[in-house]
Amino acid sequence: MTEIEFLHYCKAQVSGELKEEDLVLMLTAWGRIQYSLGYNQALKDNDIEVDKPGNDVEQVGG
């Protein structure tokens, strides 16, 4: 999906006229999605595993 396709998808989800804040929110979401995809790909490319939150929690009371 391209940025323009994403914007068209978002626009279809909104009823009424788009405001500037709507566009900023949509573009912010798009940027976050792209950042996350790139970050995860970089981890994969460099064989880096990230612990999931909660994996290092100690059990209390055995």
Coordinates of all heavy atoms in Angstrom, one line a residue:
M1 N 0.8 -1.2 0.0 CA 0.0 0.0 0.0 C 0.9 1.2 0.0 O 1.9 1.3 0.8 CB -0.9 0.0 1.2 CG -1.8 1.1 1.4 SD -2.9 1.1 2.8 CE -4.2 0.0 2.2
T2 N 0.6 2.2 -0.8 CA 1.3 3.4 -0.9 C 0.7 4.4 0.1 O -0.4 4.3 0.6 CB 1.3 4.0 -2.3 OG1 0.0 4.4 -2.6 CG2 1.9 3.0 -3.3
E3 N 1.4 5.5 0.2 CA 0.9 6.6 1.1 C -0.4 7.2 0.6 O -1.3 7.4 1.3 CB 2.0 7.7 1.2 CG 1.6 8.9 2.0 CD 2.7 9.9 2.1 OE1 3.7 9.9 1.3 OE2 2.6 10.8 3.0
I4 N -0.5 7.4 -0.8 CA -1.7 7.9 -1.4 C -2.9 6.9 -1.2 O -4.0 7.3 -0.8 CB -1.5 8.2 -2.9 CG1 -0.4 9.3 -3.0 CG2 -2.8 8.6 -3.5 CD1 -0.8 10.6 -2.4
E5 N -2.6 5.6 -1.4 CA -3.6 4.6 -1.1 C -4.1 4.6 0.3 O -5.3 4.5 0.6 CB -3.1 3.2 -1.5 CG -2.9 3.0 -3.0 CD -2.2 1.7 -3.3 OE1 -1.4 1.2 -2.5 OE2 -2.4 1.2 -4.4
F6 N -3.2 4.8 1.2 CA -3.5 4.8 2.6 C -4.4 6.0 2.9 O -5.4 6.0 3.7 CB -2.2 4.9 3.5 CG -2.5 4.9 5.0 CD1 -2.9 3.8 5.6 CD2 -2.3 6.1 5.7 CE1 -3.1 3.8 7.0 CE2 -2.5 6.1 7.1 CZ -2.9 5.0 7.7
L7 N -4.0 7.2 2.4 CA -4.8 8.4 2.6 C -6.2 8.2 2.0 O -7.2 8.6 2.6 CB -4.2 9.6 2.0 CG -2.9 10.1 2.7 CD1 -2.2 11.2 1.9 CD2 -3.2 10.6 4.1
H8 N -6.4 7.6 0.8 CA -7.7 7.3 0.3 C -8.5 6.4 1.2 O -9.7 6.6 1.4 CB -7.6 6.8 -1.2 CG -7.2 7.8 -2.2 ND1 -7.9 8.9 -2.5 CD2 -6.0 7.9 -2.9 CE1 -7.3 9.6 -3.4 NE2 -6.2 9.0 -3.7
Y9 N -7.8 5.4 1.7 CA -8.5 4.4 2.6 C -9.0 5.2 3.8 O -10.1 5.0 4.2 CB -7.5 3.3 3.0 CG -8.1 2.5 4.2 CD1 -9.0 1.5 4.0 CD2 -7.6 2.7 5.5 CE1 -9.5 0.8 5.0 CE2 -8.1 2.0 6.5 CZ -9.1 1.0 6.3 OH -9.6 0.3 7.4
C10 N -8.1 6.0 4.4 CA -8.5 6.8 5.6 C -9.7 7.7 5.3 O -10.6 7.8 6.1 CB -7.3 7.6 6.2 SG -6.1 6.5 6.9
K11 N -9.6 8.4 4.2 CA -10.6 9.3 3.8 C -12.0 8.6 3.6 O -13.0 9.2 4.0 CB -10.3 10.0 2.5 CG -11.2 11.1 2.0 CD -10.8 11.8 0.8 CE -11.8 12.9 0.4 NZ -11.4 13.5 -0.9
A12 N -12.0 7.4 3.2 CA -13.2 6.6 3.0 C -13.8 6.3 4.4 O -15.0 6.0 4.5 CB -12.9 5.4 2.2
Q13 N -13.0 6.3 5.4 CA -13.5 6.0 6.8 C -14.1 7.2 7.5 O -14.7 7.0 8.5 CB -12.3 5.4 7.6 CG -11.5 4.3 7.0 CD -12.4 3.1 6.6 OE1 -13.2 2.6 7.4 NE2 -12.3 2.6 5.4
V14 N -13.9 8.3 6.9 CA -14.4 9.6 7.6 C -15.6 10.1 6.8 O -15.6 10.2 5.6 CB -13.3 10.7 7.5 CG1 -13.8 12.0 8.1 CG2 -12.0 10.1 8.3
S15 N -16.6 10.4 7.6 CA -17.8 11.1 6.9 C -17.6 12.6 7.1 O -17.2 13.1 8.1 CB -19.1 10.6 7.6 OG -19.1 11.0 8.9
G16 N -18.0 13.3 6.0 CA -17.9 14.7 6.1 C -16.5 15.2 5.5 O -15.8 14.5 4.9
E17 N -16.3 16.5 5.7 CA -15.1 17.1 5.1 C -13.9 16.9 6.0 O -14.0 16.8 7.2 CB -15.4 18.6 5.1 CG -14.5 19.4 4.1 CD -14.9 20.8 4.0 OE1 -16.2 21.0 3.8 OE2 -14.1 21.7 4.0
L18 N -12.8 16.6 5.4 CA -11.5 16.4 6.1 C -11.0 17.7 6.6 O -11.0 18.7 5.8 CB -10.5 15.8 5.2 CG -10.7 14.3 4.9 CD1 -9.6 13.8 3.9 CD2 -10.6 13.5 6.1
K19 N -10.5 17.7 7.8 CA -9.8 18.9 8.4 C -8.3 18.7 8.3 O -7.9 17.6 8.1 CB -10.3 19.1 9.8 CG -11.8 19.5 9.9 CD -12.2 19.6 11.4 CE -12.7 18.3 11.8 NZ -13.1 18.2 13.2
E20 N -7.6 19.7 8.5 CA -6.1 19.7 8.5 C -5.6 18.7 9.5 O -4.7 17.9 9.3 CB -5.5 21.0 8.7 CG -4.0 21.1 8.5 CD -3.5 22.5 8.6 OE1 -4.2 23.4 8.4 OE2 -2.3 22.6 9.0
E21 N -6.3 18.7 10.7 CA -5.9 17.8 11.8 C -6.1 16.3 11.4 O -5.3 15.4 11.7 CB -6.7 18.0 13.0 CG -6.7 19.4 13.6 CD -7.8 20.2 13.1 OE1 -9.0 19.9 13.2 OE2 -7.5 21.3 12.5
D22 N -7.1 16.0 10.5 CA -7.3 14.7 10.1 C -6.2 14.2 9.2 O -5.7 13.1 9.3 CB -8.6 14.6 9.2 CG -9.9 14.9 10.1 OD1 -9.9 14.6 11.3 OD2 -10.8 15.5 9.5
L23 N -5.7 15.1 8.3 CA -4.6 14.8 7.4 C -3.3 14.5 8.2 O -2.6 13.6 7.9 CB -4.4 15.8 6.4 CG -5.5 15.9 5.3 CD1 -5.3 17.2 4.4 CD2 -5.6 14.7 4.5
V24 N -3.1 15.4 9.2 CA -1.9 15.3 10.0 C -1.9 13.9 10.7 O -0.9 13.2 10.8 CB -1.8 16.4 11.0 CG1 -0.7 16.2 12.0 CG2 -1.5 17.7 10.3
L25 N -3.1 13.6 11.3 CA -3.2 12.3 12.0 C -3.0 11.1 11.0 O -2.3 10.2 11.4 CB -4.6 12.2 12.6 CG -4.9 10.9 13.4 CD1 -3.9 10.8 14.6 CD2 -6.3 10.9 13.9
M26 N -3.5 11.2 9.8 CA -3.3 10.1 8.9 C -1.9 10.0 8.5 O -1.3 8.9 8.4 CB -4.2 10.4 7.6 CG -5.7 10.3 7.9 SD -6.6 10.8 6.4 CE -8.2 11.0 7.0
L27 N -1.2 11.1 8.2 CA 0.2 11.0 7.8 C 1.1 10.6 9.0 O 2.1 9.9 8.7 CB 0.6 12.4 7.3 CG 0.0 12.8 5.9 CD1 0.3 14.2 5.6 CD2 0.4 11.8 4.8
T28 N 0.7 10.9 10.2 CA 1.5 10.5 11.3 C 1.3 9.0 11.5 O 2.3 8.3 11.7 CB 1.0 11.2 12.6 OG1 1.1 12.6 12.5 CG2 1.7 10.7 13.8
A29 N 0.1 8.5 11.3 CA -0.1 7.0 11.4 C 0.7 6.3 10.3 O 1.4 5.3 10.5 CB -1.6 6.7 11.2
W30 N 0.7 6.9 9.1 CA 1.5 6.3 8.0 C 3.0 6.2 8.3 O 3.6 5.2 8.1 CB 1.2 7.1 6.7 CG 2.1 6.6 5.5 CD1 3.2 7.1 5.0 CD2 1.8 5.4 4.8 NE1 3.7 6.4 4.0 CE2 2.9 5.3 3.8 CE3 0.9 4.4 4.8 CZ2 3.0 4.2 2.9 CZ3 1.0 3.3 3.9 CH2 2.0 3.3 3.0
G31 N 3.5 7.3 8.8 CA 4.9 7.4 9.2 C 5.2 6.4 10.2 O 6.3 5.7 10.2
R32 N 4.4 6.2 11.2 CA 4.6 5.2 12.3 C 4.6 3.8 11.7 O 5.4 3.0 12.1 CB 3.5 5.4 13.4 CG 3.7 4.4 14.5 CD 4.9 4.7 15.3 NE 5.0 3.7 16.4 CZ 6.0 2.9 16.6 NH1 7.1 3.0 15.8 NH2 6.0 2.1 17.6
I33 N 3.7 3.5 10.8 CA 3.6 2.2 10.2 C 4.9 1.9 9.5 O 5.5 0.8 9.6 CB 2.4 2.1 9.3 CG1 1.1 2.1 10.1 CG2 2.4 0.8 8.4 CD1 -0.2 2.3 9.3
Q34 N 5.3 2.9 8.7 CA 6.5 2.7 7.9 C 7.8 2.5 8.8 O 8.6 1.7 8.5 CB 6.7 3.8 6.9 CG 5.6 3.8 5.8 CD 5.5 2.5 5.1 OE1 6.5 2.0 4.5 NE2 4.4 2.0 5.1
Y35 N 7.9 3.3 9.8 CA 9.0 3.2 10.8 C 9.0 1.8 11.4 O 10.0 1.2 11.5 CB 8.8 4.3 11.9 CG 9.9 4.2 12.9 CD1 11.1 4.7 12.7 CD2 9.7 3.4 14.1 CE1 12.1 4.6 13.7 CE2 10.6 3.3 15.1 CZ 11.9 3.9 14.9 OH 12.8 3.7 15.8
S36 N 7.9 1.4 11.8 CA 7.8 0.1 12.5 C 8.2 -1.1 11.5 O 8.9 -2.0 11.9 CB 6.3 -0.2 13.0 OG 6.3 -1.4 13.6
L37 N 7.7 -1.0 10.3 CA 8.1 -2.0 9.3 C 9.6 -2.0 9.0 O 10.2 -3.0 9.0 CB 7.3 -1.8 8.0 CG 5.8 -2.0 8.0 CD1 5.2 -1.6 6.7 CD2 5.5 -3.5 8.3
G38 N 10.2 -0.8 8.9 CA 11.6 -0.7 8.7 C 12.4 -1.2 9.9 O 13.4 -1.9 9.7
Y39 N 12.0 -0.8 11.1 CA 12.6 -1.3 12.3 C 12.6 -2.8 12.4 O 13.7 -3.4 12.6 CB 11.9 -0.6 13.5 CG 12.5 -1.1 14.8 CD1 13.6 -0.5 15.3 CD2 11.9 -2.1 15.6 CE1 14.2 -0.8 16.6 CE2 12.4 -2.4 16.8 CZ 13.5 -1.8 17.3 OH 14.0 -2.2 18.5
N40 N 11.5 -3.4 12.2 CA 11.4 -4.9 12.3 C 12.2 -5.5 11.2 O 12.8 -6.6 11.5 CB 9.9 -5.3 12.2 CG 9.2 -4.9 13.5 OD1 9.7 -4.9 14.6 ND2 7.9 -4.6 13.3
Q41 N 12.2 -5.0 10.0 CA 13.1 -5.5 8.9 C 14.5 -5.5 9.3 O 15.3 -6.4 9.0 CB 12.8 -4.9 7.6 CG 13.4 -5.5 6.4 CD 13.0 -7.0 6.2 OE1 11.8 -7.3 6.2 NE2 13.9 -7.9 6.1
A42 N 15.0 -4.3 9.8 CA 16.4 -4.2 10.2 C 16.8 -5.2 11.3 O 17.9 -5.8 11.2 CB 16.6 -2.8 10.7
L43 N 15.9 -5.4 12.2 CA 16.2 -6.5 13.3 C 16.3 -7.8 12.6 O 17.3 -8.6 12.9 CB 15.0 -6.5 14.3 CG 14.9 -5.3 15.2 CD1 13.7 -5.5 16.1 CD2 16.2 -5.1 16.1
K44 N 15.4 -8.1 11.7 CA 15.5 -9.4 11.0 C 16.7 -9.6 10.2 O 17.4 -10.6 10.2 CB 14.2 -9.6 10.1 CG 14.1 -10.9 9.4 CD 12.8 -10.9 8.6 CE 12.7 -12.2 7.8 NZ 11.5 -12.2 7.0
D45 N 17.1 -8.5 9.4 CA 18.2 -8.5 8.5 C 19.5 -8.7 9.3 O 20.5 -9.3 8.8 CB 18.4 -7.2 7.7 CG 17.3 -7.1 6.7 OD1 16.6 -8.1 6.4 OD2 17.1 -6.0 6.1
N46 N 19.6 -8.3 10.6 CA 20.8 -8.4 11.4 C 20.7 -9.5 12.5 O 21.5 -9.5 13.4 CB 21.0 -7.0 12.1 CG 21.4 -6.0 11.0 OD1 22.5 -6.0 10.5 ND2 20.5 -5.0 10.8
D47 N 19.7 -10.4 12.3 CA 19.5 -11.5 13.2 C 19.5 -11.0 14.7 O 20.1 -11.6 15.5 CB 20.6 -12.5 13.0 CG 20.5 -13.2 11.6 OD1 19.4 -13.4 11.2 OD2 21.6 -13.4 11.0
I48 N 18.7 -10.0 15.0 CA 18.6 -9.5 16.3 C 17.2 -9.9 16.8 O 16.2 -9.6 16.2 CB 18.7 -8.0 16.4 CG1 20.1 -7.6 15.9 CG2 18.4 -7.5 17.8 CD1 20.3 -6.1 15.7
E49 N 17.1 -10.5 18.0 CA 15.9 -10.9 18.6 C 15.6 -9.9 19.8 O 16.5 -9.7 20.6 CB 15.9 -12.3 19.1 CG 15.8 -13.3 18.0 CD 15.6 -14.7 18.5 OE1 14.9 -14.9 19.5 OE2 16.1 -15.7 17.9
V50 N 14.4 -9.4 19.9 CA 14.1 -8.5 20.9 C 13.1 -9.3 21.9 O 12.1 -9.9 21.4 CB 13.3 -7.3 20.4 CG1 12.9 -6.4 21.5 CG2 14.3 -6.5 19.5
D51 N 13.4 -9.2 23.2 CA 12.5 -9.9 24.1 C 11.2 -9.2 24.1 O 11.1 -8.0 24.1 CB 13.1 -9.8 25.6 CG 14.3 -10.7 25.7 OD1 14.4 -11.7 25.0 OD2 15.1 -10.4 26.6
K52 N 10.2 -10.0 24.2 CA 8.8 -9.5 24.3 C 8.6 -9.0 25.7 O 9.1 -9.6 26.6 CB 7.8 -10.5 23.9 CG 8.0 -11.1 22.6 CD 7.4 -10.2 21.5 CE 7.4 -10.9 20.2 NZ 8.1 -10.3 19.2
P53 N 7.8 -7.9 25.9 CA 7.5 -7.4 27.2 C 6.8 -8.5 28.1 O 6.0 -9.2 27.6 CB 6.5 -6.3 27.0 CG 6.7 -5.9 25.6 CD 7.2 -7.1 24.9
G54 N 7.3 -8.6 29.3 CA 6.7 -9.6 30.2 C 7.5 -10.9 30.2 O 7.3 -11.8 31.1
N55 N 8.5 -11.2 29.3 CA 9.2 -12.4 29.3 C 10.2 -12.5 30.5 O 10.6 -13.6 30.8 CB 10.0 -12.6 28.0 CG 9.1 -13.0 26.9 OD1 7.9 -13.3 27.1 ND2 9.6 -13.0 25.7
D56 N 10.6 -11.4 31.0 CA 11.6 -11.4 32.1 C 11.0 -11.1 33.5 O 11.7 -10.8 34.4 CB 12.7 -10.3 31.8 CG 12.1 -8.9 31.7 OD1 10.9 -8.8 31.6 OD2 12.9 -8.0 31.7
V57 N 9.7 -11.4 33.6 CA 9.0 -11.2 34.9 C 9.3 -12.4 35.8 O 9.1 -13.5 35.3 CB 7.5 -11.0 34.7 CG1 6.8 -10.9 36.0 CG2 7.3 -9.7 33.8
E58 N 9.7 -12.1 37.0 CA 10.0 -13.2 37.9 C 8.7 -13.7 38.5 O 7.8 -12.9 38.8 CB 10.9 -12.7 39.0 CG 12.3 -12.4 38.6 CD 13.2 -12.0 39.7 OE1 13.0 -12.5 40.9 OE2 14.1 -11.2 39.5
Q59 N 8.6 -15.0 38.7 CA 7.4 -15.6 39.3 C 7.6 -15.5 40.8 O 8.7 -15.8 41.4 CB 7.3 -17.1 39.0 CG 7.0 -17.3 37.5 CD 5.6 -16.8 37.1 OE1 4.7 -16.9 37.9 NE2 5.5 -16.4 35.9
V60 N 6.6 -15.0 41.5 CA 6.6 -14.9 43.0 C 5.8 -16.0 43.6 O 4.7 -16.3 43.2 CB 6.0 -13.5 43.3 CG1 6.0 -13.3 44.9 CG2 6.8 -12.4 42.7
G61 N 6.3 -16.6 44.6 CA 5.6 -17.6 45.4 C 5.6 -19.0 44.8 O 4.7 -19.7 45.0
G62 N 6.5 -19.3 43.9 CA 6.8 -20.5 43.3 C 5.7 -21.5 43.0 O 5.5 -22.4 42.7

